[in-house]
Amino acid sequence: MPPTQAESVIKNIIREIGQECAAHGEVVSETLVAFMVKAVVLDPSNGFNMDRTLVKSDVQKLVKLCVSRLLDNKNPSLDTIKMQVYFDMNYTNRGEFLEEHHRVLESRLGSISREITDNRACSREELESLYRKIVSYVLLRSGLGAPTDIKIVREATAALQSVFPQAELGTFLTLSKKDKERQLKELTMIVTGIRLFNRDCGKGGEGIDDLPAILHEAIPATTQHIDSQLETAQEQIYRYTAILEKVTKNPLISMELQPYMLKEALYNVRQYEIFLQIILSDIITCAQEVEMMIKQLGAQLEQLKMTVKSKTAVPTSQVFPIFIALSSLWTSFQDETVLISVLSNLTTHLEPFLGSHEVLFPEKLIQSLLEGVTVKSDVCRMKEHMGDRVQLVDFKKLEWLFPETTANFDKLLIQYRGFCPYTFVAMDGLLLPGNPAIGILKYKEKYYTFNTRDAAYSFAENPENYIDVIREKAKKNAELIQLLELHQQFETLIPYSQTNLRQKITHSVQTDLSHMRRESCSQVYPLKDASTQSMRESSTRVPRPQIYLAGLRGGKSKITQEVKVNLTRAIDET
């Protein structure tokens, strides 16, 4: 089947599944459906032949199975897959987020920038109109107040006139388009710096939020909330793990517990824990950046005060660079404010994907299963085996890495997201974090950790066997593809007619586990911008400002913190 025809078939399957679910009152995204299609096709128990194109009967069977799984609202596996799809579509790492954020802001200025740079004003009225447009541009680019607020406009106009009087418009109009754009950006930064300095001196700053103060309160509140969520999730993880260990040793209990899907519930909470750790790592980075920026802000403002102190006139060569530096620093504060708001919002939206654990596993049942069992934390398990290291003399052909002999030991990219592969296979899918201190096995240019020395030795005897078993288990529990980062292993298993699904299913998300520090990364999907009806002022159109207050819950704190996010509509949308 030609690729274009195959893509059409897949799209039709996805559409049909979505319509079937909608008919049953369940609205599902195309991305989620695409992931489920892959999950169902990969599961060997469903009997799909991976080496041939789907025929009509296969399609009907596929649709039926996918709809059935998507409507199963009491299945932890579905909750986990939904969580993974949501996170993949709404999270991006810090660098990519800020790059995309700046690109969006820049695109919003495109229309008014063209109105200014293409302007051929001649008459007095036309020049006055052009100057007002420049003031609006300065306000929109700086993000310091609404261009419809008369007090803010007057303050910005006064600051602009002090460095770029209207009489200089004639010279401005003779510049090339690129030079005009460059001057507009520079004027914005200088005016922003002036307004920030005046605000600090108590002589202005109308409509400028105290971002350092907002962030100083918002970051600890957000961190506290996530820490609280993590603590609750980890308590649940440790209890589920203890029960599953007990079950593995007692086949009778295992049969009784099978309908409860406790293992799938463990995967659900483990995935939630991992996503919270990614978000928390980003927020910690924000905190470090903000702390550094607050010191820089104080130093720059103090330098400005000393420069202009008791002077009637100051050379522009002395103050303009400081104004520009102030403006650049404030832009960074704005970036951190938006980023914290987005991360807080993402955290809130992850919670519903935990599913109804209380309904599936009543406390009474959990307590009875925990009878005679010691619940251990991940850290506690690691401490138990800190002294049990792999002995190199026991291995002549395998390479083992240790912290004292390996550069960037804590930066190594560990397979299965750091979970022990031997334990996962030997204990029927149980997830226990590996302990790098025992030794990291380097096998075929990939790295593996284990929770005990015995586990390391057993895996090392036949690594391929364990790798194959894990891959087969992931076919039956598709959420493991994301959870254990197995995407590359499944690329070759997807028939060519399914290749277009790769753009719709989740991609790798690397996290910081408590015992292995790593870079966070994921695919970026720009969020849609909220907008509102614009207003007309004078001879140029500017949008009505929209300020979004993101509630940042403070965990056990009774005080609610807020972050302001400017969602003013793009100029070129008016």
Side-chain angles (χ1 to χ4, degrees), residues 76-315:
S77 290
L78 178 60
D79 288 327
T80 306
I81 290 171
K82 285 181 177 179
M83 187 195 311
Q84 292 168 341
V85 170
Y86 178 82
F87 190 85
D88 191 57
M89 292 184 69
N90 291 279
Y91 173 82
T92 178
N93 68 36
R94 176 187 175 87
E96 289 178 341
F97 171 82
L98 293 178
E99 184 182 332
E100 176 64 14
H101 177 58
H102 292 158
R103 188 195 66 76
V104 170
L105 292 179
E106 199 69 39
S107 68
R108 290 178 175 180
L109 292 166
S111 180
I112 192 170
S113 177
R114 287 190 297 273
E115 284 184 35
I116 295 170
T117 57
D118 295 344
N119 202 292
R120 296 292 182 266
C122 295
S123 68
R124 180 180 173 183
E125 291 76 13
E126 288 172 341
L127 289 170
E128 288 177 352
S129 172
L130 174 60
Y131 199 78
R132 285 195 296 270
K133 287 179 182 179
I134 293 175
V135 172
S136 293
Y137 173 94
V138 166
L139 285 171
L140 287 168
R141 174 170 282 281
S142 68
L144 300 186
T148 51
D149 187 310
I150 191 63
K151 290 183 180 179
I152 293 170
V153 171
R154 282 173 179 166
E155 183 181 308
T157 302
L160 180 63
Q161 286 174 338
S162 68
V163 295
F164 181 72
Q166 189 171 322
E168 293 186 15
L169 276 177
T171 305
F172 174 82
L173 288 169
T174 64
L175 299 175
S176 67
K177 187 179 182 70
K178 282 190 177 181
D179 285 341
K180 287 177 184 174
E181 290 172 349
R182 192 178 299 113
Q183 186 167 354
L184 284 173
K185 290 176 183 178
E186 187 176 281
L187 285 172
T188 299
M189 298 181 84
I190 294 170
V191 169
T192 298
I194 291 171
R195 293 186 65 208
L196 289 170
F197 178 63
N198 288 342
R199 173 183 174 274
D200 187 66
C201 296
K203 298 177 181 178
E206 186 74 32
I208 301 177
D209 295 319
D210 190 349
L211 296 186
I214 290 173
L215 287 165
H216 186 70
E217 294 180 355
I219 291 175
T222 309
T223 304
Q224 184 182 347
H225 173 61
I226 295 177
D227 278 336
S228 175
Q229 294 296 103
L230 258 178
E231 186 180 345
T232 302
Q234 287 168 342
E235 285 175 3
Q236 210 165 17
I237 286 169
Y238 304 149
R239 299 206 307 172
Y240 287 171
T241 301
I243 293 170
L244 285 168
E245 282 182 305
K246 176 182 177 181
V247 167
T248 306
K249 299 169 186 175
N250 191 324
L252 186 61
I253 302 177
S254 180
M255 289 296 290
E256 292 175 359
L257 265 184
Q258 198 168 0
Y260 287 101
M261 296 183 287
L262 189 61
K263 186 170 56 181
E264 287 77 6
L266 173 63
Y267 299 160
N268 179 257
V269 193
R270 276 290 187 190
Q271 184 67 82
Y272 179 65
E273 174 197 32
I274 287 165
F275 287 157
L276 286 185
Q277 287 173 328
I278 292 173
I279 295 170
L280 186 59
S281 175
D282 283 355
I283 291 174
I284 290 170
T285 301
C286 285
Q288 294 167 341
E289 290 291 322
V290 169
E291 184 180 5
M292 178 181 66
M293 292 187 317
I294 287 175
K295 291 178 182 177
Q296 291 176 344
L297 180 66
Q300 287 177 0
L301 287 170
E302 187 60 32
Q303 184 184 357
L304 257 178
K305 287 176 183 176
M306 295 301 293
T307 304
V308 302
K309 188 177 182 181
S310 305
K311 294 179 182 177
T312 54
V314 183

Side-chain angles (χ1 to χ4, degrees), residues 295-558:
K295 291 178 182 177
Q296 291 176 344
L297 180 66
Q300 287 177 0
L301 287 170
E302 187 60 32
Q303 184 184 357
L304 257 178
K305 287 176 183 176
M306 295 301 293
T307 304
V308 302
K309 188 177 182 181
S310 305
K311 294 179 182 177
T312 54
V314 183
T316 57
S317 60
Q318 291 183 26
V319 291
F320 278 14
I322 308 177
F323 287 144
I324 290 171
L326 258 182
S327 173
S328 180
L329 189 58
W330 201 260
T331 297
S332 296
F333 277 115
Q334 292 170 326
D335 288 345
E336 299 301 329
T337 304
V338 174
L339 187 54
I340 284 290
S341 178
V342 168
L343 292 172
S344 175
N345 193 43
L346 181 57
T347 304
T348 302
H349 283 85
L350 284 179
E351 292 177 42
F353 297 115
L354 283 174
S356 50
H357 286 261
E358 295 81 6
V359 176
L360 290 171
F361 314 108
E363 186 62 24
K364 189 176 180 181
L365 171 66
I366 294 293
Q367 288 301 330
S368 67
L369 291 169
L370 285 172
E371 219 171 283
V373 174
T374 301
V375 177
K376 301 175 183 178
S377 69
D378 288 345
V379 174
C380 177
R381 290 176 186 277
M382 288 185 191
K383 286 181 178 178
E384 287 179 348
H385 300 280
M386 286 301 284
D388 301 335
R389 301 184 62 169
V390 169
Q391 301 300 313
L392 291 178
V393 292
D394 297 331
F395 299 93
K396 294 181 179 179
K397 296 183 179 180
L398 292 176
E399 185 178 357
W400 292 88
L401 308 178
F402 300 95
E404 66 274 13
T405 57
T406 307
N408 298 315
F409 182 82
D410 59 347
K411 301 293 183 183
L412 295 174
L413 186 62
I414 307 300
Q415 293 298 297
Y416 308 123
R417 215 185 276 273
F419 291 112
C420 175
Y422 170 79
T423 302
F424 182 82
V425 173
M427 301 192 73
D428 193 30
L430 182 65
L431 292 176
L432 285 180
N435 184 353
I438 291 172
I440 294 178
L441 172 64
K442 183 179 181 182
Y443 177 73
K444 291 187 176 179
E445 301 304 315
K446 293 181 180 178
Y447 304 96
Y448 301 84
T449 57
F450 310 92
N451 66 314
T452 67
R453 184 170 62 186
D454 288 344
Y457 277 52
S458 297
F459 181 90
E461 287 178 6
N462 191 355
E464 289 300 331
N465 173 61
Y466 293 96
I467 293 169
D468 289 343
V469 172
I470 292 172
R471 183 166 55 239
E472 290 306 307
K473 281 184 176 290
K475 290 180 183 180
K476 298 176 182 178
N477 289 86
E479 67 269 32
L480 291 172
I481 297 174
Q482 165 94 332
L483 182 56
L484 300 182
E485 299 183 306
L486 301 172
H487 309 87
Q488 289 185 350
Q489 293 189 28
F490 285 94
E491 286 296 308
T492 57
L493 295 180
I494 307 171
Y496 73 90
S497 61
Q498 303 284 325
T499 54
N500 58 89
L501 279 182
R502 294 173 190 168
Q503 296 176 352
K504 293 180 176 292
I505 61 173
T506 52
H507 295 266
S508 177
V509 179
Q510 186 68 52
T511 182
D512 285 327
L513 285 178
S514 58
H515 57 290
M516 291 298 289
R517 305 296 298 173
R518 292 177 262 168
E519 289 288 332
S520 299
C521 62
S522 176
Q523 187 172 359
V524 53
Y525 289 83
L527 297 174
K528 292 182 179 179
D529 299 305
S531 60
T532 184
Q533 187 65 40
S534 62
M535 294 178 65
R536 182 178 297 273
E537 181 185 353
S538 189
S539 59
T540 184
R541 295 178 295 170
V542 291
R544 181 161 61 88
Q546 291 292 295
I547 305 298
Y548 173 66
L549 296 178
L552 298 170
R553 292 176 289 173
K556 299 176 183 177
S557 172
K558 295 182 180 178

